[in-house]
Amino acid sequence: MPHPLHAFFKQHRPWLNDHALDADIRKHSIKDEKYRHYIDLDSYHEELDSLQSIFPLSWSMAIEQWGMDSIQHHGVGPWHAHLEYLRLINAYRTADTARILRHAIDLAHYVSDLHVPLHTTKNYNGQDTNQEGIHALWETQIPEAFQEIFNLHPRSHGLEAEWIESVDGFIWMRTLDSHSLAPLVFSHEIDVRREFESKAIDAYIIRGRIRQLMRSEEFVQAYYLKIGPQVESQMIKSIHAVSSLWFSAWVEAGQPELGPYNADHRSRFKKMLDWWLK
Ligand SMILES: [Zn+2]
């Protein structure tokens, strides 16, 4: 992230970490929240080519075509992510730190959800193909088992925050791209199941203080060998998308100064630290 965004977001990193899952927690208190984290693209069409010709589609056109109830039911992820982007632009304009952080982290959440292929299909937990639990396998068990060896630093992949001209188109492109990976997510799982005929596919896994029935550790390892860098690569793409969107919204807002008081405060603190070190 370029100046002054890098310093601004770095300074608020603890807050961002603490609130990254707020959007999921809101599902319990806000009725429509649950529709904002996904889109069942295969409810619109089975073929990727056809989906690419249907989307992007504006919110008003979509409502005209399918009606509000149907759209909500199939999920409004990409439309809502775009709305959150527009809110972030407005927040930058008001220079209100709390508002900027709120919309920045919510945007990050919605956009990252769309990088999970299982957030783009109606078979989101493998319930239609006897693969229940595949959601947590992909988005929880694989990252938790391999985060130590994942290299998620965008710069080491030659990526830096980029100006995105058409944000609407970008969000839809990423969503369709994510959806194109879904067939492999399912087929690799079926392949590993076949190899595991005599071995345990599921096991009780202890996460924090909760004991949950998930895929066994051996299964997670075998699935990772099959699926390769897909999960890591989607995570890198989502990190890059988030920083580019945070940057683009700031440019769109007229590149305002961010938190001058805090910047001052930091330099005063640094001066004091230098004095102490001397
Ligand atoms: Zn979510």
Side-chain angles (χ1 to χ4, degrees), residues 24 37 109 113:
D24 280 340
H37 302 246
H109 184 110
D113 269 354

Side-chain angles (χ1 to χ4, degrees), residues 1 8 12 46 92 104 130 142 170 179 221 226 229 254 263 265:
M1 300 280 279
F8 176 78
H12 295 291
E46 290 291 335
Y92 278 131
N130 286 323
I142 292 280
F170 173 81
H179 186 64
Q221 299 278 344
K226 274 267 192 288
H265 185 75

Side-chain angles (χ1 to χ4, degrees), residues 20-21 23-25 27 33 36-38 109-110 113 119 139:
L21 296 179
D24 280 340
I25 295 164
K27 287 177 193 168
E33 181 62 48
R36 297 171 181 168
H37 302 246
Y38 68 92
H109 184 110
Y110 297 126
D113 269 354
H119 279 244
E139 74 165 32

Side-chain angles (χ1 to χ4, degrees), residues 57-68 71 79 168:
L57 190 66
S58 74
W59 177 242
S60 54
M61 292 266 287
I63 289 179
E64 204 174 293
Q65 214 162 320
W66 296 296
M68 184 67 151
I71 291 174
W79 288 295
D168 198 25

